[in-house]
Amino acid sequence: MFAVLINVIIILLIMKIFFKFMYPKPPRDFFPKEGDDTSLRHCDYCGHSLATYRGIVVHDDDKERFFCNDEHQSKFYKNNPSVP
């Protein structure tokens, strides 16, 4: 019984070490800073929900648009030329 417990403890320790290297913490730049807006918004191009501080907010003629990244922003304006 003692051998089984030792083996389980050793396996748990090894797995903890492996998970620490396989799934590291993200850099501090990805976390919100004080004063950032963390409310969820939906991308006007793909509909994906994302925190406001992680995306791009564009103000167009009293309309506020939100995009996940630069690529979605450029594709949205390319597909909708009538939008300013």
Side-chain angles (χ1 to χ4, degrees):
M1 186 66 183
F2 180 72
V4 171
L5 289 175
I6 293 295
N7 281 331
V8 169
I9 291 171
I10 290 172
I11 289 171
L12 289 174
L13 289 173
I14 290 172
M15 290 305 294
K16 183 172 179 148
I17 292 169
F18 281 140
F19 277 115
K20 191 167 189 93
F21 288 111
M22 288 189 322
Y23 303 109
K25 289 184 179 179
R28 294 205 180 246
D29 294 338
F30 289 126
F31 294 117
K33 293 165 186 57
E34 189 174 330
D36 284 344
D37 184 8
T38 58
S39 61
L40 288 179
R41 300 186 78 162
H42 297 282
C43 179
D44 286 333
Y45 180 73
C46 68
H48 181 75
S49 62
L50 193 66
T52 304
Y53 77 95
R54 298 288 307 264
I56 301 168
V57 179
V58 179
H59 303 281
D60 289 334
D61 297 335
D62 300 329
K63 173 107 174 149
E64 197 171 77
R65 299 193 188 283
F66 178 75
F67 301 102
C68 296
N69 52 37
D70 293 331
E71 183 180 343
H72 286 187
Q73 183 181 6
S74 63
K75 285 183 180 180
F76 178 82
Y77 287 118
K78 183 179 178 184
N79 293 339
N80 301 311
S82 62
V83 175

